[in-house]
Amino acid sequence: MPAASPARDERENAGIAARFADTRALTEALVQPLGDADATIQSMDDASPAKWHLAHTTWFWETFLLRDHAPGYTLFDEKFPFLFNSYYEAEGDRIARGRRGLVTRPSLDEVLDYRRHVTAAIQPLLEDPRHAELVELGIAHEQQHIELLLTDIKHAFSKNPLGPAMWDDNVSPRAGGDLPQTERHAETDPGLRRGSPHAFEDGWYSHPGGIARIGHQADGFAFDNEGPAHRVLLEPFALSKQLVTNADWDAFIADGGYETASLWLSDAWAWIARCNIRAPLYWRDGEQFTHTGWQERDPNAPVTHISYYEADAFASWVGARLPTEFEWEAVARGQHADDAPAHDPAGGNQLDPVSSWAAPPMPRGSDGLFGDCWQFTRSGYLPYPRFKPAEGAVGEYNGKFMSGQWVLKGASCATVRGHSRASYRNFFYPQQRWQFTGLRLAKDA
Amino acid sequence: MPAASPARDERENAGIAARFADTRALTEALVQPLGDADATIQSMDDASPAKWHLAHTTWFWETFLLRDHAPGYTLFDEKFPFLFNSYYEAEGDRIARGRRGLVTRPSLDEVLDYRRHVTAAIQPLLEDPRHAELVELGIAHEQQHIELLLTDIKHAFSKNPLGPAMWDDNVSPRAGGDLPQTERHAETDPGLRRGSPHAFEDGWYSHPGGIARIGHQADGFAFDNEGPAHRVLLEPFALSKQLVTNADWDAFIADGGYETASLWLSDAWAWIARCNIRAPLYWRDGEQFTHTGWQERDPNAPVTHISYYEADAFASWVGARLPTEFEWEAVARGQHADDAPAHDPAGGNQLDPVSSWAAPPMPRGSDGLFGDCWQFTRSGYLPYPRFKPAEGAVGEYNGKFMSGQWVLKGASCATVRGHSRASYRNFFYPQQRWQFTGLRLAKDA
Amino acid sequence: MPAASPARDERENAGIAARFADTRALTEALVQPLGDADATIQSMDDASPAKWHLAHTTWFWETFLLRDHAPGYTLFDEKFPFLFNSYYEAEGDRIARGRRGLVTRPSLDEVLDYRRHVTAAIQPLLEDPRHAELVELGIAHEQQHIELLLTDIKHAFSKNPLGPAMWDDNVSPRAGGDLPQTERHAETDPGLRRGSPHAFEDGWYSHPGGIARIGHQADGFAFDNEGPAHRVLLEPFALSKQLVTNADWDAFIADGGYETASLWLSDAWAWIARCNIRAPLYWRDGEQFTHTGWQERDPNAPVTHISYYEADAFASWVGARLPTEFEWEAVARGQHADDAPAHDPAGGNQLDPVSSWAAPPMPRGSDGLFGDCWQFTRSGYLPYPRFKPAEGAVGEYNGKFMSGQWVLKGASCATVRGHSRASYRNFFYPQQRWQFTGLRLAKDA
Amino acid sequence: MPAASPARDERENAGIAARFADTRALTEALVQPLGDADATIQSMDDASPAKWHLAHTTWFWETFLLRDHAPGYTLFDEKFPFLFNSYYEAEGDRIARGRRGLVTRPSLDEVLDYRRHVTAAIQPLLEDPRHAELVELGIAHEQQHIELLLTDIKHAFSKNPLGPAMWDDNVSPRAGGDLPQTERHAETDPGLRRGSPHAFEDGWYSHPGGIARIGHQADGFAFDNEGPAHRVLLEPFALSKQLVTNADWDAFIADGGYETASLWLSDAWAWIARCNIRAPLYWRDGEQFTHTGWQERDPNAPVTHISYYEADAFASWVGARLPTEFEWEAVARGQHADDAPAHDPAGGNQLDPVSSWAAPPMPRGSDGLFGDCWQFTRSGYLPYPRFKPAEGAVGEYNGKFMSGQWVLKGASCATVRGHSRASYRNFFYPQQRWQFTGLRLAKDA
């Protein structure tokens, strides 16, 4: 594992007010390259305008902190809740999701004013221990939207035929050098059907099976869907040390992966036919669309922007499978061997909560289970035993989405470092691809 | 548990040839009330024409037994595979699912000829032990289609504004009297939010938790998705002895269940709004549509024709939850107490494989976990550890549907008695309602 | 012009009761090859089941004659109006158009019983002069449905992958020989852009322009949309003596007609892209689907089953245009030259109202403006000056469809001989193709 | 007729270069209130972003003038033709119409730079008589887009739940006072079914019928679809002197107009049911949405933002009808009586091509046939006799839209004064309502 950088440690130990400030500043730093129009449009129903993310996170603070707990606070604008509530039924009516891109007024500047107003108003409440839990939730919530903002605006830019860059390509995708490039070697597990060197070259984490303790078990903040902690019985298995790479995916395509019905789930086969899917999202010949425009693909970098359907088909093609969320978590916690350390959730290639960089990092491959991309599991996104949503509007945060979606583990290059945990459960529908999604193979032992 | 009837025992002990004959005869007995047009139309994409079921089951026998194992056999009609293959990619192209209702030729009579031809041709292979496994699969396959045929034709008749009856209502919905009517009493679990007398009156099966052995573990036939057998760790829980009834559901509606956002999954809330869902399928005022036309609803009968979305919302309303498939199976196997017997999979209100009745039974309430209706679990339909689909076209039977669907356990009044098992996993999408689907509540202990 | 056959003359002079009997008999003769299923399914929203045509025409007689004018008459079945009303808002609610194919009961036999009942009940009213107008309307209405029945059932059969034949091909498509085969010669109008021998070889009817009297002007029956008679000012023009043929259309395809944007209306270009249109409906290689199954195409026969969009594009390709409805009618009435006779509306290749044939005729090419196929005009289907719909439900017959459709003139091989007139206005949407639709070119003089 | 203002006369006599400058300046003046986001979004497929209009009109000048006729000119940006070509197939591929709102780059400022560049580059060509025709076309084209820009941005603003105003309401809707307010009186034509005072109070223009000369007949510029001039035979008729008003429409609604099937065309009745249409677009209680936000409706102002379907139903309700385009033009030309002067196409309430005002005028009612709103006719948008589209890409201007649309005559408050003519043919689909569309009744004499 790469050691955590001093700067990061410092931040982690910092007080909650500093982390609040960092998070708000990061959000705003990210939108600096955006014009009013960039920040306003909505390129698909799944995505939201950047401006909406800026405002919605602010509405969250204003509603659940200021309105509910700051005596005498009056709303910045009484019409904003209708515009910027996302999905909280208990908080009243709101604009239809697919129409968020029609709100040109308030402008980007006005929304930034709104942000400044709420950020200032909230200062007195930050250190009040009665609100600590809500503040932690608000920070985690805004961090989630930072990742969505980055992926949503990438999607929007990708729809422009000119393929504009959000940031100049002045940062090498492998810059920094803090991540040691593992020596590649070519021995492949003979039990796997197809030679797929990269996916397997660095070996496997072996787990002997047995009872694993799953879910949030520490003191710090976690979302309600990460608990309650409970035990799960695992069969022996192994988890790949490496993410599947672009080169691996090229091999899958070259072998006719997208044309071989037997590799695909029934829903998946219908989906690739209906939507004419033949490659990951954002691929075009040897290039991929990035925050810095169209760029040559790095064959050694982890593949990203794939759907669950594709991840599952790839695993079938190799003769492996996706891990369950429990298997993944057990390895992340270092339960697979006596001397196995836990993986550092703040390690790997993630987004640093400072505003000094030019562009967010690209997937590039790194040690550890966290970073680069969210990793599909074969676990449906379902409640843990004895799960109960929180009371009130906040209780709509997670539980009501427990249908039809799949759990992803880890963290991506667009995840704010410090946001994720071993128990963290990200979730998406099986056809969604606009996040930095990838895969790490598993196999029965 | 009601004792199995002598007739049934006899059949179970009968040879495979007799069971083959029974199954084929049952299919044909069920379509006797149908005209050529009744048997041809398709009322929605999810449903298939009765004629198609008659022919598809025959195609299955013809393809996997006769074509592959009967030397010199020539196809009854070379064009039938295109018409009557369901979804086996390995078996070639086929008519689009939604266009099955456009095939008026061959007529019903011609399809019945096809059935007779294949039934006769297959006789020599039935007792050959080399084909026993395939014959068992063919019988199980045809039994599944018997249930689909019954629910599909019910759906088709329901779309006729005249509401025609497939059978005369000459059978009382509670006729037979072989099922003792349990005394109803009104004590309700005080921990549950709402008074729902029927759902709880007869108490609960309590399970202490621990390691349960799940999946097919016996000698007999099972589908590939029921295995491999494996261990699962359960928390303590309880499972209701009673199915939720029509009266319970009336109470849910009267309490505004369909208008209360907090009870519903997010996808579910969108679905009931989009499709204007306000009651179970086939409900109209105090009536429901049945194979014998529009009938007054029995308040004490189990509610049926509900979706997963509705089952989940109902459980939330009561303050309970749906069981997992593992909890359900553990109780079905009698693992919940030292003296708890296993439930008889052939017991309860199911479809008897003889042709002497006038109409299939209606849901009516019965002891035991099997019968009346399939029961939703909160388990996604996913592969068991080390699951591998069978080789060849038959391998497409189950595995490729493991995405987006939910497991249901038990058996319904339209399930051929003898077809189900404790390990049986039925599965449907969360919005589907045209099967005899219902629910049995669970709660944490 | 071919002389009218003696049999036809006799029928024309026959009393209204005989024509009523003939029409009813013809409808029933046409469905003799159909099974219950054939007669029940609906292959698209535009088409209706054969059984529905049988019943709807009967409902029309029952409603507007028997119910309104036969004292003491009671409906054959009180539920039938809901099932068999087509679109008369004034006659109450009715089954949604797209769900007509879900009505398996009443069966075909029961509908034939309904027909017999109503046919018998109506006899006493037939000769009553007070009802003559309504009886004429009922006959014309049923004749329209005869043509729809033939084209709808053809469409339904075409959707069956087996391509079944409704009638045996025991009739040569050019049998009879009563229509002289014109000598073909190849001089083409030099002003036309492309050589298209067949379309022009037989020359043109020239019209000097001037004031033409348009619309129904005689004593006999006509639909309300054919009047009032009025004058229209025409510029000099010419109308082709020949229909465009299959060979002409092959040349259009070979020349890239379907790939040349400049030939197509904007809506048309979007339509052929969206629906992937590359040939007339029912074409497959050198064959076309007919009532006698898949048959080799006759290159000299008129092209049929084309849309307005295609007809217009073809005319642009040739450098000609479609005629207006007024130009067509002026030629049909013989107004184009001093010695030009009127074309016989009962001539040419149409459907004879007797039941002695095996299959209806195929398009084959004939002299005169009537027969073989309906011919697109470039006239929108709009009201004539001073047009007023009739009072009451019958007033919904035509006027409410005067939006978005195009006028077609002539008659087709599926039109009952005697049904059409020079003033007759058929009308369809520009993308519809399942009728026997074709084209006859025009050009400015 | 109101006298033309001196300013206007001056402009009309001005040279083509001045009119070019005015038109370009007007376009830019109109977008001054817009931010980058306002100018970028697309609120429906029918509408285009304001920025797109700014750029497309410029592309038109750049392509057909500069590229084709300015030696040595190089494109401002080689990628712009893909972005800003509207529908000219001959000019190559282009962005799909519904995705114009995803182009955030170039920004509004960059597009204004593009405009300045092209405006400057074109100066040397303006006075060259060889290009006069193209320059006139370019001016007329940009004037059309000015009207679309105004109606498209109004639609976009209307989709914002906040209902923002594009201009302050600092202009009285009846300001200016140059239009004499006619005395209202209540005598209604007794032959009309319903009392509808406003629609009829000011009497009718009577036309005796006969041969009218239709289409462009003068020297000046006209679109190709206005010719060739030709004669049409008219029956005697009368055309209302007044547009139908908001008060008239309120009466229609109050009388159940939207719930009375017999008033509506069949397609219209399906459309109002499917889209739940119950009032003109932009109506909310007693208000309507305008460029100055939500405003109280003026009952005496002409009704606008109605569809053809609604106009036709209203006319049926009154017992009148819509005029044909020929009738309207004949009256506009003063052919209805010996002493009837032609109506001034530049009169009435239209948009003045100067940039001194704050907001464009609202419909308010005025004398003459031009101004306030485009008026539906019952004429389908079809080619005139001997119509031939121009050669080349410019030939795609009008002809290819001659299917499924209806002709509107006159001019609206958003039409640049001087743009319209008696022969002008505007055209829209029957369900479109986002233009300033209204109606003027006609009746048979």
Side-chain angles (χ1 to χ4, degrees), chain B residues 33-38 40-43 79 82-83 95 99 101-106 156-157 159-162 164-165, chain C residues 33-38 40-43 79-80 82-83 95 99 101-106 156-157 159-162 164-165:
Chain B
L34 300 183
D36 188 17
D38 296 327
T40 296
I41 67 160
Q42 180 175 27
S43 55
K79 291 175 172 168
F82 185 86
L83 295 180
I95 192 171
R99 301 175 73 168
L102 300 178
V103 182
T104 62
R105 316 265 178 110
F157 274 57
K159 292 293 180 186
N160 187 327
L162 306 187
Chain C
L34 300 184
D36 187 18
D38 297 327
T40 296
I41 66 160
Q42 180 175 29
S43 55
K79 290 175 174 168
F80 280 11
F82 185 86
L83 294 179
I95 192 170
R99 302 176 72 167
L102 301 178
V103 181
T104 62
R105 315 266 179 114
F157 273 57
K159 292 293 180 186
N160 186 327
L162 306 188

Side-chain angles (χ1 to χ4, degrees), chain B residues 329-373:
Chain B
E329 184 172 343
V331 172
R333 291 185 183 281
Q335 297 178 345
H336 52 96
D338 288 347
D339 60 346
H343 290 241
D344 180 6
N349 183 21
Q350 299 186 49
L351 185 63
D352 284 303
V354 291
S355 56
S356 60
W357 41 262
M362 291 276 295
R364 60 189 170 198
S366 54
D367 289 339
L369 261 64
F370 293 85
D372 280 323
C373 61

